[in-house]
Amino acid sequence: GLSESAQMSLADMPEMVRPGIDAKALAKGKTVRRRDSDKPVSIYDVAKRSGVSIKTVSLVINRQPNVSLATRTAVLAAIEALAYKPNVFARGLASERSYLIGLLHDVAPGSYIADLQLGALARCRDEGYHLIVELLNPLQDLDVAQRVRSLVSEAVLHGVILTPPLCDDRTIMEELSAARTPFVRVAPGNRMPGTTVVNIDEYKAAYEMTAYLVGLGHRRIGFVKGKPDHGAARLRFDGYRAALVDAGLSF
């Protein structure tokens, strides 16, 4: 083992002469990779190569706006050359963000949840975040409030996406609000002042779908209602019935 003074000397050595770094390749501006036996490239290495502070590197990694184009370009070039991979947990400690987004869903058709996950994953990737998917069933879980509290505290979620019918569960929303965890509701059936919502006109969508079938000449059109506590399902059912009435068809 190295003495404390020796370790400090090693940390202060110029990057080009540190063990495990190809000095010639580095001097030529080529991508540099450490040997597997050495420590991974750190944010300190990126800062030294780009000639800026660690804080500036952090600003670039976290996509903060207050960095000049020249500096951002230099840092990104150093990150690519060194094949630096930011540690999401270290980023969280430095910025007081977890960079984790939770997607909570109840039991639902696989394709529906899969599409939501793909959309959320794509956006998280663009912004440097990661997605955690959690199944939550209020009808089976004995203590939904405790489940939500544990999830938020243990995973330190930076935000939560609530899918139907969880988006209408007041217990879940109250727990998230108490924990000061931002959340967005997908296609809720009930209005709740002060919440952020993403939805479509469920009534109009169902009306137009039914009218389309009527236009094809169909006269016996069924409707699968789904869960009665799903607010969007009620709006869809109302749109379906209205389209039948306007077409003069019996329910």
Side-chain angles (χ1 to χ4, degrees), residues 113-169:
I113 296 300
D115 285 343
L116 283 174
Q117 289 185 34
L118 288 175
L121 281 169
R123 186 59 177 170
C124 283
R125 186 182 301 113
D126 290 343
E127 299 296 334
Y129 281 71
H130 294 264
L131 186 70
I132 292 180
V133 181
E134 186 78 12
L135 173 62
L136 192 62
N137 190 335
L139 297 179
Q140 295 182 359
D141 294 325
L142 298 179
D143 192 341
V144 174
Q146 180 58 45
R147 281 283 311 278
V148 174
R149 282 196 296 271
S150 297
L151 178 63
V152 171
S153 62
E154 293 173 6
V156 196
L157 298 180
H158 189 62
V160 172
I161 301 171
L162 295 177
T163 64
L166 302 183
C167 55
D168 288 317
D169 192 305

Side-chain angles (χ1 to χ4, degrees), residues 152-230:
V152 171
S153 62
E154 293 173 6
V156 196
L157 298 180
H158 189 62
V160 172
I161 301 171
L162 295 177
T163 64
L166 302 183
C167 55
D168 288 317
D169 192 305
R170 288 190 172 273
T171 298
I172 295 176
M173 289 186 282
E174 288 172 358
E175 288 298 331
L176 292 175
S177 296
R180 296 184 179 181
T181 301
F183 62 89
V184 60
R185 305 165 68 200
V186 178
N190 302 319
R191 293 185 179 182
M192 185 175 179
T195 62
T196 303
V197 173
V198 175
N199 62 7
I200 65 171
D201 189 332
E202 304 286 355
Y203 177 95
K204 183 179 180 181
Y207 183 100
E208 292 180 351
M209 291 164 68
T210 307
Y212 172 76
L213 294 176
V214 172
L216 294 178
H218 298 290
R219 294 296 179 266
R220 293 172 56 82
I221 303 171
F223 184 94
V224 180
K225 295 182 68 175
K227 293 186 176 184
D229 60 344
H230 186 175

Side-chain angles (χ1 to χ4, degrees), residues 87-126:
N87 184 311
V88 65
F89 299 106
R91 288 174 63 203
L93 289 174
S95 63
E96 296 184 353
R97 289 187 178 187
S98 65
Y99 291 92
L100 298 175
I101 300 295
L103 188 152
L104 306 186
H105 70 90
D106 197 347
V107 179
S111 59
Y112 177 75
I113 296 300
D115 285 343
L116 283 174
Q117 289 185 34
L118 288 175
L121 281 169
R123 186 59 177 170
C124 283
R125 186 182 301 113
D126 290 343

